[in-house]
Amino acid sequence: MDTRVAPRPVAPQAPTDQRKRLLVVDDEPTNLHVLRQVLQDEYRLLFATDGAKALQLAQQKPDLILLDVMMPGMDGYTVCEQLKADARTAAIPVIFVSALSDSADEERGFALGGVDYIVKPVRAPVVRARVRTHLSLVRADELHASRLQIVQRLGRAAEYKDNETGKHVIRMSLYARALAQALGCGPDWVDDLFNAAPMHDVGKIGIPDAVLLKPGALDEREWAIMRTHPQVGAEIIGEHAFPMLQMARTIALTHHEKWDGSGYPQGLAGLAIPLEARIVAVADVFDALTTVRPYKAAWSVDDALAYLQEQAGRHFDPALVAQFMTLRPVIEEVRTQWGD
């Protein structure tokens, strides 16, 4: 008979306190007490009564700092300057809380990198609302940055699948951005294009290696499989409300369409092809021509530009090709910085 005693079940640990952490800085204990009463139910709090202690505690990376201005020794403005000069603390949002109510004082606080300025005596609803607002903005920035990272990594995954170094998506994205800027597109649209362009070939993840990595020419059946990658890419990205992801899906689906209607998968022609896809087509083909591939040597910049001009009105939007011809200095700079 087995006489071993079964181990007692381990009680689950209580979850750690997930509340945001705030650093409150003021040389007056009364003011610290007031802010403690206002904020302690929603946040974890750290306290400092002088600038030196504030800089020390800031190394613990609080989510937000409430900073008095008039303090002996080192005032709040100086503290903020030092926080923003330190890469470890520069991103922490700072809300000034001060009895100084002149507009010049507020302007100075914002100029030094503060995100808000609350005038004493503080009102509890105002403090809570301002803190929530700026923590929400930080969260939104974090989500945006995370979304971009996911998009960029997925684009890199497609390039590795296709035996690329990953620099191709960087170069072609830079070319696409430069072309969009030269066309006078708005800065937000240009930024979305720059971040969406690396996803253009993400559908290649769904193409069998026997087809994608075949060293020789593809036969008719294999080409039919290869031509499914735009639709696969659109399905991988999916439908989204976010403009950048909408653009990424459009580019993935339509970047192999041709100006004369002979492209795939939909046979779109001319201005029916979305502008972002027409831009990416120029940038993508140019970079593919000017870099070494398993099946070809790198073309010279002159030969690649001549090919674009030859294909203007057939493969490419002729107006975009003409504009791309003016970007030779940008092209050379990108190739120097991001060459394989």
Side-chain angles (χ1 to χ4, degrees), residues 10-157:
V10 178
Q13 291 184 337
T16 57
D17 192 342
Q18 297 297 311
R19 294 178 300 168
K20 297 293 185 182
R21 187 168 51 170
L22 312 183
L23 170 57
V24 183
V25 185
D26 200 302
D27 65 313
E28 291 288 340
T30 301
N31 294 331
L32 293 179
H33 177 73
V34 170
L35 290 171
R36 182 200 295 270
Q37 293 300 112
V38 171
L39 298 167
Q40 65 182 350
D41 291 341
E42 294 184 61
Y43 306 101
R44 293 176 292 157
L45 303 177
L46 299 170
F47 297 98
T49 56
D50 59 67
K53 183 66 173 178
L55 293 172
Q56 179 185 345
L57 290 176
Q59 297 302 317
Q60 297 184 28
K61 304 291 182 62
D63 296 286
L64 184 143
I65 298 173
L66 292 159
L67 180 59
D68 185 25
V69 172
M70 294 187 296
M71 296 185 294
M74 185 186 305
D75 68 14
Y77 294 136
T78 304
V79 173
C80 187
E81 278 186 303
Q82 295 196 25
L83 288 170
K84 298 305 175 184
D86 187 337
R88 296 168 296 179
T89 56
I92 303 172
V94 174
I95 297 178
F96 286 103
V97 184
S98 176
L100 299 174
S101 58
D102 191 85
S103 61
D105 298 309
E106 294 187 29
E107 289 173 9
R108 184 180 179 191
F110 286 119
L112 292 172
V115 298
D116 211 337
Y117 195 103
I118 300 174
V119 176
K120 297 176 182 177
V122 300
R123 292 184 294 138
V126 171
V127 173
R128 293 192 189 102
R130 301 282 183 87
V131 168
R132 289 189 194 118
T133 294
H134 291 291
L135 289 176
S136 295
L137 291 173
V138 169
R139 178 61 174 160
D141 288 343
E142 290 172 347
L143 289 173
H144 179 68
S146 298
R147 191 183 306 126
L148 288 182
Q149 283 290 316
I150 292 169
V151 167
Q152 291 163 1
R153 298 304 174 189
L154 194 52
R156 287 289 300 277

Side-chain angles (χ1 to χ4, degrees), residues 86-277:
D86 187 337
R88 296 168 296 179
T89 56
I92 303 172
V94 174
I95 297 178
F96 286 103
V97 184
S98 176
L100 299 174
S101 58
D102 191 85
S103 61
D105 298 309
E106 294 187 29
E107 289 173 9
R108 184 180 179 191
F110 286 119
L112 292 172
V115 298
D116 211 337
Y117 195 103
I118 300 174
V119 176
K120 297 176 182 177
V122 300
R123 292 184 294 138
V126 171
V127 173
R128 293 192 189 102
R130 301 282 183 87
V131 168
R132 289 189 194 118
T133 294
H134 291 291
L135 289 176
S136 295
L137 291 173
V138 169
R139 178 61 174 160
D141 288 343
E142 290 172 347
L143 289 173
H144 179 68
S146 298
R147 191 183 306 126
L148 288 182
Q149 283 290 316
I150 292 169
V151 167
Q152 291 163 1
R153 298 304 174 189
L154 194 52
R156 287 289 300 277
E159 293 303 312
Y160 281 118
K161 169 86 170 177
D162 197 18
N163 265 346
E164 288 289 343
T165 65
K167 290 185 179 179
H168 167 64
V169 294
I170 297 173
R171 288 190 300 264
M172 60 83 59
S173 298
L174 290 168
Y175 295 146
R177 181 174 68 181
L179 181 51
Q181 289 171 333
L183 293 169
C185 299
D188 290 340
W189 195 91
V190 171
D191 191 51
D192 284 343
L193 175 67
F194 176 70
N195 289 303
M199 295 280 281
H200 67 289
D201 268 342
V202 70
K204 287 183 177 178
I205 291 173
I207 302 300
D209 287 351
V211 174
L212 187 64
L213 304 180
K214 183 178 178 179
L218 301 180
D219 61 30
E220 186 175 341
R221 181 190 65 85
E222 291 165 337
W223 263 118
I225 294 172
M226 179 65 80
R227 288 192 178 101
T228 65
H229 83 266
Q231 184 64 50
V232 173
E235 291 171 1
I236 288 173
I237 297 170
E239 300 279 0
H240 296 276
F242 303 110
M244 187 269 288
L245 290 175
Q246 289 176 0
M247 185 181 289
R249 183 184 187 279
T250 297
I251 290 171
L253 182 62
T254 60
H255 73 285
H256 280 296
E257 303 290 353
K258 294 184 179 181
W259 185 257
D260 65 3
S262 65
Y264 62 92
Q266 297 171 294
L268 301 177
L271 297 179
I273 305 169
L275 176 59
E276 54 265 41

